[in-house]
């Protein structure tokens, strides 16, 4: 009689053979592994571990094991069936591949000459034969028919491959992201059915222009929804082909166009300042420095100083320019290179400045929402978006400090050197920052700003920051007689829910002597700024301006978690590729 051994601790089902030296681990597997012919003449010996004595299994253990063994047998039969089905499919595909090589698709010269068109222009061509080129965005096989969705950058088109058009070698091996040229009759889809644009292309002739790989190199294997963020960053060039990424960039283009139109409506002229500069605007610590033909130079932090020089000749001006900040910040709202929309206006007051910023933003959003195409993009990306109500709330810096304290929003305490003070948490044993109330003179942190804005849930102009927290060129607020405390500036930040600061602006120092004193206070050599100082020498005036971060504005508009999604190829510390 055959004896099979089971050791529940040291035994192994997969590689065991039931002997004393190589016992199985489970009685169920032992029963499963015993052939039907040997079942009647086989006995089983089981033990819990190597220190126990082998013994026959109990009746209840055997009953349970037989049930589990039946489950294993079902799995085996299922695996066999799947293997057989997979083999049959492979054989069928191989036969289809071999047969497809015999089929040569040619264009029928007797058919109507096709009209070459972009997808966005197809609606007026329904009922006609058209030729469209693009990339395979989706593919679905259905018996003898293949449905594909074509993408050409202007839209999406559903196409149908039937007959010989679906039997060629190219049809059998077609992969996502291959570039193709499709020719056929454009027909409106029947009532009750849906397709992009309301029509589909019944293909009678097509060809592959650029093949795409399958297997491991297939597009969906390199990139999918579960991909790690670092992989998504490395493969940004492929991410852009997705519907969400391309929609964000399409909305970005529309946003810039709408901003330009709003500025034109308000009589601001666009200019193009340089990116290579030899002056600082926002402090030397965040400058990207490089050698410029033997001279020190920087990538611009802001075009503001150049915009100011345009006021006497061109009037109010704006620019859309890249700005660069060498700030080692990895937050979701910071980039090392970003698109900076800046404007400068002459003969205005501080109140005029905030009113202008509000008007430009609201007029721009209105333009996007009144346009069906851009309104649809916003609806897709941010279904709950509502245009901001006017007027925007205005809150002074001092009032914001009081508001934060009233709402128990604290900040980490710092020592004299600016280091965060910590103490050990009794429960976790970890060092945690000591939290304290805000005080006048604090630079309100990004997290506190965002908390406040999210609670209020509306745009907020935060204005009147202390001079020591702001740039040298900002105009100071006049002091009331006997007023004590810090000197405040005519400066403002516009905060938006979910994002925080998207605009920073101020009135500029108009008096030359005051500007020279500001250079001295900040330790700035005035010599390289001679051209900026001259604006106060030759007919100064009250003027102000601001900068808007396009990526932050777009993150607010399209409800994106990070500004990195709002840039074509985002740059942040450690990332300068692709």
């Amino acid at each position: 009689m055959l004896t099979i051994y089971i050791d529940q601790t040291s035994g192994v089902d997969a590689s065991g053979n039931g002997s004393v030296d190589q016992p199985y681990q489970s009685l169920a597997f032992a029963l499963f592994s015993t052939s039907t012919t040997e079942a009647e003449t086989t006995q089983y010996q089981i033990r819990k571990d190597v220190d126990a004595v082998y013994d026959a299994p109990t009746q209840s253990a055997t009953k349970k094991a037989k049930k589990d063994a039946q489950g294993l047998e079902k799995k085996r039969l299922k695996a066999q069936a799947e293997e057989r089905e997979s083999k049959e499919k492979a054989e069928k595909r191989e036969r289809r591949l071999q047969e497809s090589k015999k089929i040569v698709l040619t264009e029928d010269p007797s058919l109507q000459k096709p009209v070459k068109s972009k997808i966005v222009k197809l609606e007026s061509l329904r009922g006609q034969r058209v030729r469209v080129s693009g990339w395979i965005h989706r593919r679905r096989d259905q018996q003898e028919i293949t449905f594909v969705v074509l993408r050409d950058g202007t839209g999406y088109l559903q196409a149908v491959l039937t007959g010989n058009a679906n039997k060629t070698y190219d049809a059998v091996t077609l992969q996502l992201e291959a570039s193709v040229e499709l020719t056929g009759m454009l027909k409106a889809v029947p009532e009750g059915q849906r397709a992009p644009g309301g029509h589909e292309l019944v293909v009678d002739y097509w060809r592959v222009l650029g093949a795409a790989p399958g297997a491991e190199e297939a597009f969906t294997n390199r990139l999918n929804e579960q991909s790690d963020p670092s992989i998504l960053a490395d493969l940004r060039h492929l991410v852009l082909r997705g519907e969400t990424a391309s929609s964000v960039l399409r909305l970005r283009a529309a946003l810039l166009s709408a901003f330009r139109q709003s500025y034109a409506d308000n009589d601001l002229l666009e200019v193009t300042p340089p990116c290579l500069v030899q002056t600082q605007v926002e402090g030397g610590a965040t400058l990207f420095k490089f050698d410029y033909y033997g001279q020190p130079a920087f990538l611009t932090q802001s075009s503001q100083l150049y915009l100011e020089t345009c006021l006497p000749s061109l009037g109010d001006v704006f620019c859309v320019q890249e700005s660069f900040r060498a700030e080692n910040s990895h937050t979701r709202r910071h980039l090392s290179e970003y698109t900076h929309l800046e404007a400068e206006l002459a003969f205005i007051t501080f109140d005029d400045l905030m009113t202008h910023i509000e008007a430009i933003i609201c007029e721009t959003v209105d333009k996007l929402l009144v346009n069906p195409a851009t309104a649809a993009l916003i609806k897709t990306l941010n279904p709950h978006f509502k245009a901001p109500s006017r007027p925007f709330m205005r809150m002074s810096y001092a009032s914001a400090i009081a508001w934060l304290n009233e709402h128990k929003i604290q900040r980490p305490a710092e020592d004299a050197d600016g280091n965060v003070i910590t103490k050990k948490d009794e429960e976790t044993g970890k060092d945690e920052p000591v939290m304290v109330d805000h005080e006048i003179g604090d630079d309100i942190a990004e997290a506190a700003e965002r908390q406040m804005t999210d609670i209020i849930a509306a745009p907020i102009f935060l204005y009147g920051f202390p001079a020591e927290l702001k740039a040298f060129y900002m105009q100071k607020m006049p002091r009331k007689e006997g007023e004590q405390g810090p000197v405040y500036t005519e400066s403002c930040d516009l905060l938006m829910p979910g994002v925080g600061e998207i605009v920073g602006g101020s009135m500029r120092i108009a008096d030359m002597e005051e500007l020279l004193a500001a250079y001295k206070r900040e330790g700035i050599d005035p010599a390289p700024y001679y051209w900026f100082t001259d604006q106060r020498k030759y007919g100064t005036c009250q003027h102000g301006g601001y900068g808007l971060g396009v990526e932050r504005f777009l993150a607010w508009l399209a409800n994106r978690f990070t500004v990195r999604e709002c840039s074509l190829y985002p740059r942040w510390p450690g990332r300068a590729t692709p």
Side-chain angles (χ1 to χ4, degrees):
M1 178 173 284
L2 178 66
T3 301
I4 291 179
Y5 295 89
I6 301 102
D7 188 317
Q8 293 177 316
T9 302
S10 61
V12 181
D13 284 341
S15 59
N17 58 18
S19 65
V20 174
D21 296 329
Q22 294 180 303
Y24 292 123
Q25 186 179 42
S26 67
L27 178 58
F29 194 84
L31 292 169
F32 166 71
S33 302
T34 304
S35 65
T36 306
T37 56
E38 296 177 334
E40 296 295 327
T41 58
T42 300
Q43 65 176 358
Y44 301 92
Q45 294 289 303
I46 188 169
R47 67 183 182 184
K48 290 186 176 180
D49 53 51
V50 293
D51 296 325
V53 177
Y54 278 111
D55 197 3
T58 64
Q59 189 174 1
S60 61
T62 303
K63 183 178 180 181
K64 182 179 183 304
K66 284 181 177 179
K67 185 176 181 181
D68 292 341
Q70 289 173 355
L72 290 171
E73 177 63 13
K74 287 180 181 179
K75 287 183 179 179
R76 184 186 70 82
L77 293 174
K78 184 180 179 181
Q80 279 185 343
E82 288 176 349
E83 184 180 357
R84 185 166 56 251
E85 184 179 353
S86 177
K87 185 178 179 181
E88 289 173 356
K89 281 184 178 180
E91 290 174 351
K92 184 178 179 181
R93 177 173 172 78
E94 183 59 30
R95 287 195 301 272
R96 188 182 175 197
L97 276 172
Q98 295 306 318
E99 291 170 2
S100 70
K101 293 177 181 179
K102 303 173 186 176
I103 298 173
V104 179
L105 193 66
T106 57
E107 188 168 9
D108 187 344
S110 67
L111 294 176
Q112 178 189 32
K113 186 178 179 180
V115 178
K116 189 174 181 180
S117 176
K118 293 285 189 181
I119 291 175
V120 72
K121 300 290 187 181
L122 284 176
E123 186 173 355
S124 63
L125 298 175
R126 289 178 184 174
Q128 299 183 48
R129 195 162 176 263
V130 299
R131 178 166 288 158
V132 185
S133 299
W135 291 265
I136 299 298
H137 189 64
R138 292 196 189 92
R139 173 182 174 168
R140 176 168 57 90
D141 294 319
Q142 185 175 308
Q143 295 181 347
E144 299 300 314
I145 302 173
T146 296
F147 293 92
V148 299
V149 174
L150 192 71
R151 180 189 74 243
D152 75 345
T154 71
Y156 299 89
L157 171 66
Q158 179 172 290
V160 185
L161 303 179
T162 60
N164 281 349
N166 192 40
K167 295 177 181 178
T168 64
Y169 184 79
D170 283 342
V172 175
T173 59
L174 185 63
Q175 299 290 335
L176 295 184
E177 295 305 323
S179 57
V180 297
E181 179 188 82
L182 306 181
T183 305
M185 188 64 70
L186 186 69
K187 297 181 178 180
V189 293
E191 189 174 345
Q193 296 184 21
R194 297 177 62 185
H199 44 237
E200 67 180 7
L201 186 68
V202 180
V203 178
D204 57 60
Y205 175 74
W206 71 284
R207 60 195 180 105
V208 173
L209 302 177
E216 291 183 4
E217 282 295 298
F219 187 84
T220 50
N221 286 337
R222 292 195 68 191
L223 192 67
N224 55 60
E225 292 179 357
Q226 284 73 45
S227 295
D228 186 86
S230 63
I231 294 175
L232 294 177
D234 288 338
L235 300 181
R236 178 67 176 169
H237 59 294
L238 299 182
V239 172
L240 297 178
R241 300 188 181 202
E243 291 178 33
T244 298
S246 59
S247 292
V248 170
L249 293 177
R250 197 174 299 281
L251 181 57
R252 176 189 167 108
L255 173 64
L256 290 173
S257 179
F259 265 124
R260 285 186 163 100
Q261 186 57 55
S262 295
Y263 281 123
D265 293 345
N266 285 272
D267 301 314
L268 275 78
L269 185 71
E270 183 172 7
V271 295
T272 309
C275 283
L276 309 181
V277 301
Q278 291 185 304
T279 52
Q280 68 183 50
V281 182
E282 299 297 333
T286 61
L287 283 167
F288 281 108
K289 188 176 181 179
F290 64 96
D291 180 82
Y292 187 69
Y293 302 108
Q295 301 178 51
F298 316 102
L299 294 176
T300 185
Q301 298 169 311
S302 166
S303 298
Q304 175 213 317
L305 307 189
Y306 293 98
L307 294 183
E308 288 191 45
T309 68
C310 298
L311 295 178
S313 57
L314 301 175
D316 299 343
V317 291
F318 77 98
C319 72
V320 181
Q321 183 69 282
E322 297 302 288
S323 284
F324 305 84
R325 300 285 171 91
E327 186 176 358
N328 192 21
S329 178
H330 293 263
T331 76
R332 62 190 180 99
R333 69 171 201 167
H334 280 92
L335 292 170
S336 297
E337 175 187 358
Y338 66 98
T339 304
H340 209 174
L341 192 154
E342 298 181 86
E344 206 70 23
L345 301 94
F347 306 109
I348 62 169
T349 64
F350 186 36
D351 183 71
D352 292 336
L353 177 65
M354 288 189 282
T355 300
H356 163 85
I357 295 171
E358 180 180 309
I360 289 294
I361 285 174
C362 291
E363 288 174 22
T364 298
V365 170
D366 288 346
K367 285 179 173 62
L368 293 172
L369 293 177
V370 80
N371 181 306
T374 52
L377 284 174
I378 295 170
K379 182 71 175 176
T380 299
L381 295 166
N382 190 0
H384 303 295
F385 178 80
K386 291 182 180 179
S389 300
R390 301 174 69 176
F392 293 172
M393 177 187 290
R394 298 186 183 187
M395 179 186 290
S396 71
Y397 165 86
S399 297
I401 294 291
W403 190 97
L404 292 169
N405 291 335
E406 287 170 8
H407 288 78
K408 309 300 181 186
I409 298 173
Q410 296 183 305
R411 65 170 180 84
E414 296 179 350
D415 60 23
D417 297 322
N419 300 311
V420 175
I421 300 171
T422 61
K423 69 175 181 179
K424 194 173 293 295
D425 187 285
E426 294 181 0
E427 292 184 5
T428 64
K430 296 180 180 179
D431 287 336
E432 301 290 348
V434 176
M435 303 302 289
V436 296
D437 285 347
H438 287 83
E439 298 176 352
I440 296 294
D442 286 347
D443 190 357
I444 301 174
E446 170 197 336
E449 270 188 354
R450 201 163 62 241
Q451 263 187 287
M452 179 176 71
T453 313
D454 289 348
I455 291 171
I456 294 173
I460 305 169
F461 271 119
L462 197 57
Y463 71 90
F465 294 90
E468 60 265 24
L469 299 180
K470 289 298 182 179
F472 72 92
Y473 53 77
M474 294 190 179
Q475 180 67 51
K476 295 178 179 61
M477 285 183 170
R479 298 197 116 196
K480 297 175 183 177
E481 188 175 346
E483 185 178 353
Q484 301 296 316
V487 176
Y488 296 104
T489 56
E490 291 187 329
S491 57
C492 64
D493 288 347
L494 178 59
L495 313 179
M496 286 294 191
V499 180
E501 179 193 344
I502 62 168
V503 179
S506 76
M507 295 299 290
R508 320 309 192 187
I509 292 175
D511 182 76
M512 187 168 72
E513 294 304 319
E514 188 178 346
L515 180 60
L516 292 171
Y519 290 144
K520 185 175 181 180
R521 184 182 68 250
E522 298 294 328
I524 297 173
D525 179 5
Y529 294 84
Y530 70 92
W531 50 275
F532 180 66
T533 309
D534 273 354
Q535 302 309 304
R536 282 78 183 163
K537 185 177 181 179
Y538 295 95
T540 189
C541 71
Q542 295 296 319
H543 62 288
Y546 57 92
L548 177 148
V550 171
E551 288 81 6
R552 289 188 187 181
F553 191 94
L554 185 56
W556 166 72
L557 183 66
N559 192 30
R560 299 297 94 191
F561 177 73
T562 169
V563 293
R564 295 176 185 179
E565 296 180 61
C566 301
S567 172
L568 182 64
Y569 284 98
R571 298 292 185 249
W572 66 87
R575 170 64 61 177
T577 56

